[in-house]
Amino acid sequence: MAISTLHRLSAAGAVHRLPSLSSLRPVLARSSATSSHPPSPSSSSSSVPSAKVADRIVKLFAIDVDGRKREVVGLAGHTLLKALANSGLIDPASHRLEEIDACSAECEVNIAQEWLERLPPRSYDEEYVLKRNSRARVLNKHSRLGCQVVLTKDLQGMVVAVPEPKPWDIP
């Protein structure tokens, strides 16, 4: 039934055929290969994406639980939590979400004094989560949630300390 209707409509001129994709392949290949920035004569097209990533690299230092200073590499625009999890300093399985509503303060870190001024102030929600998860309900001024600190190039060289897990966080 549907096929007979299609034949009837195409015979009447109501159905227009579109060109096949095979005729558009050279146009599609050309448009995906070009970019808004023409490559410089000294660079190849494969080095262009890596240059953009290299511009976003932020190198930090983290003091682990054993007191060793470790270099951590993150990307501008990503969270401190993601950089620490990628370096193995924080268990990524315990941090599935980077939303403040789902945060259990397991990503709490301590920021060195000289870097606190370069960070935006804590939000009300971040302070609430930090206070809720501290036993004394006293807020350490160096404490921040790694899921709420977004890395920027201004934070290059920042020093953070990853505290020991709290006894109630250890399975």
Side-chain angles (χ1 to χ4, degrees), residues 42-122:
S42 63
S43 69
S44 66
S45 62
S46 64
S47 67
V48 173
S50 63
K52 291 180 182 176
V53 171
D55 291 341
R56 293 180 52 207
I57 290 178
V58 179
K59 291 185 180 179
L60 317 162
F61 296 99
I63 310 298
D64 64 12
V65 177
D66 300 325
R68 290 177 295 184
K69 189 175 187 178
R70 295 176 48 184
E71 185 178 68
V72 176
V73 177
L75 292 176
H78 288 186
T79 61
L80 178 59
L81 167 64
K82 190 170 206 166
L84 293 172
N86 288 341
S87 67
L89 288 167
I90 292 182
D91 181 23
S94 64
H95 299 85
R96 288 181 216 97
L97 301 171
E98 292 192 7
E99 297 288 328
I100 190 74
D101 297 334
C103 190
S104 62
E106 293 175 17
C107 61
E108 180 181 348
V109 295
N110 294 314
I111 308 289
Q113 177 65 39
E114 60 269 14
W115 295 96
L116 285 175
E117 295 86 29
R118 298 185 192 186
L119 293 174
R122 287 185 287 236

Side-chain angles (χ1 to χ4, degrees), residues 134-153:
S134 71
R135 284 288 181 171
R137 303 287 191 250
V138 176
L139 193 58
N140 176 353
K141 74 175 186 174
H142 297 279
S143 293
R144 293 297 301 260
L145 296 176
C147 64
Q148 299 301 304
V149 176
V150 178
L151 298 177
T152 63
K153 290 297 280 183

Side-chain angles (χ1 to χ4, degrees), residues 33-40 43 48 52:
T34 59
S35 67
S36 60
H37 302 291
S40 64
S43 69
V48 173
K52 291 180 182 176

